[in-house]
Amino acid sequence: MPQNPTAANARDLTDAEFADLDELLQQTPEPLTPCDAVMLDGYLCGILVQPVLLQPDAWLPHIFDFEGEPLPDDVDVAWLERTTALIMRRHAALNRAMEEDGWFDPLVLEFDEEHQPEPIPEGQPDPMAGLHPISQSLMPWVAGFQHATICFPDLVELPDDAVMAALARLFRHLPAETDEEKEVVATLDREQPLTTLEDAIEEIVLAVADLQDLTREQRYKVETVKRDAPKVGRNDPCPCGSGKKFKHCHGA
């Protein structure tokens, strides 16, 4: 059940549009701190696999600012419309691909001699220190996914071992901070060692697909309204005691 079934809205972004979106996000007014295009891509996947169906007005603010602070009232309307339109198209395209194909192509930067991460300012910790070279390429995307789980913790709070296992396959590409996280990463390194970037990308896609399957039933669950009293017919007396038929009183 796609979250946005409109075919026109599911047309994916071109490489030029991804570059355009990245530049537009960088134009977010200060002091707000926006995602870049790669983090955005991971964030959108983290939104799509939540066990609750989230509406854009809930998750869009966290793209323009990590803390979800609102944009200023005098924001450039044309900039906002263009940026939001591209975000929504990528969201719809990811959802369509995941639902119909069980697969999607994540936006991942491959670092080589020509393309290297931005240098870390002196005195600041390097977030990629100690990471496997393959994880260094995947970390920005996975950090975006993690951003979604921090803003909307329903997924990580599910009491489901299968969900936790799928999340571990993703979060292994983030710096391990606790002894427990280090142990999980060490176990994955032994049992599922990182070999090539292509294989690692396939694995994060499969982990996201597993999460989508595991949460689908809850995400689209329809709550049934329970009535405390029998349904009143339109020609029955109104329960309010007015003496009028229900259709001429509270049922009008």
Side-chain angles (χ1 to χ4, degrees), residues 49 165-167 169-170 202-212:
V49 301
L167 287 170
R169 288 152 58 196
L170 291 170
E202 179 177 349
E203 177 60 19
I204 67 170
V205 172
L206 291 174
V208 171
D210 286 347
L211 287 169
Q212 187 192 37

Side-chain angles (χ1 to χ4, degrees), residues 83-98:
T83 309
T84 303
L86 291 174
I87 291 170
M88 295 305 300
R89 269 184 50 206
R90 180 56 174 168
H91 175 271
L94 283 168
N95 186 55
R96 178 199 54 75
M98 292 163 65

Side-chain angles (χ1 to χ4, degrees), residues 42-53:
Y43 175 81
L44 292 176
C45 286
I47 294 299
L48 287 166
V49 301
Q50 289 287 328
V52 293
L53 192 59

Side-chain angles (χ1 to χ4, degrees), residues 1-244:
M1 185 185 298
Q3 293 187 27
N4 189 342
T6 305
N9 289 339
R11 180 171 58 87
D12 208 350
L13 305 187
T14 64
D15 289 346
E17 286 173 325
F18 272 122
D20 186 23
L21 177 55
D22 196 47
E23 290 184 9
L24 289 166
L25 288 169
Q26 292 177 30
Q27 296 169 21
T28 301
E30 295 181 347
L32 302 184
T33 308
C35 297
D36 60 23
V38 175
M39 283 194 67
L40 165 67
D41 210 56
Y43 175 81
L44 292 176
C45 286
I47 294 299
L48 287 166
V49 301
Q50 289 287 328
V52 293
L53 192 59
L54 297 170
Q55 298 303 316
D57 59 353
W59 53 260
L60 274 170
H62 296 278
I63 294 173
F64 296 107
D65 183 67
F66 285 119
E67 301 299 327
E69 291 296 323
L71 290 162
D73 294 336
D74 60 351
V75 70
D76 185 301
V77 174
W79 166 82
L80 180 58
E81 289 180 350
R82 172 63 175 163
T83 309
T84 303
L86 291 174
I87 291 170
M88 295 305 300
R89 269 184 50 206
R90 180 56 174 168
H91 175 271
L94 283 168
N95 186 55
R96 178 199 54 75
M98 292 163 65
E99 290 288 351
E100 296 180 5
D101 306 328
W103 188 264
F104 64 95
D105 292 318
L107 185 62
V108 172
L109 297 179
E110 183 173 359
F111 297 124
D112 52 28
E113 292 183 1
E114 185 177 349
H115 301 91
Q116 291 293 320
E118 291 291 329
I120 305 299
E122 187 175 352
Q124 291 190 17
D126 184 355
M128 295 192 181
L131 282 179
H132 189 286
I134 290 175
S135 292
Q136 291 184 14
S137 290
L138 298 178
M139 192 199 78
W141 192 95
V142 177
F145 187 99
Q146 184 191 46
H147 178 46
T149 67
I150 293 172
C151 296
F152 305 98
D154 302 80
L155 179 64
V156 296
E157 292 177 354
L158 285 176
D160 189 321
D161 290 342
V163 168
M164 293 300 103
L167 287 170
R169 288 152 58 196
L170 291 170
F171 293 163
R172 71 181 298 187
H173 301 293
L174 299 174
E177 297 180 354
T178 66
D179 291 340
E180 183 181 0
E181 290 173 354
K182 292 175 182 177
E183 184 178 347
V184 169
V185 172
T187 301
L188 286 169
D189 286 344
R190 286 195 307 269
E191 299 178 355
Q192 302 175 35
L194 297 172
T195 53
T196 67
L197 179 60
E198 182 179 354
D199 288 344
I201 290 174
E202 179 177 349
E203 177 60 19
I204 67 170
V205 172
L206 291 174
V208 171
D210 286 347
L211 287 169
Q212 187 192 37
D213 289 339
L214 289 165
T215 57
R216 180 179 286 106
E217 184 176 350
Q218 295 177 69
R219 186 163 51 253
Y220 296 117
K221 183 178 179 181
V222 178
E223 295 292 340
T224 304
V225 177
K226 213 174 177 183
R227 295 182 181 274
D228 295 328
K231 184 177 179 180
V232 180
R234 289 184 56 75
N235 289 314
D236 293 340
C238 187
C240 74
S242 66
K244 298 179 182 179

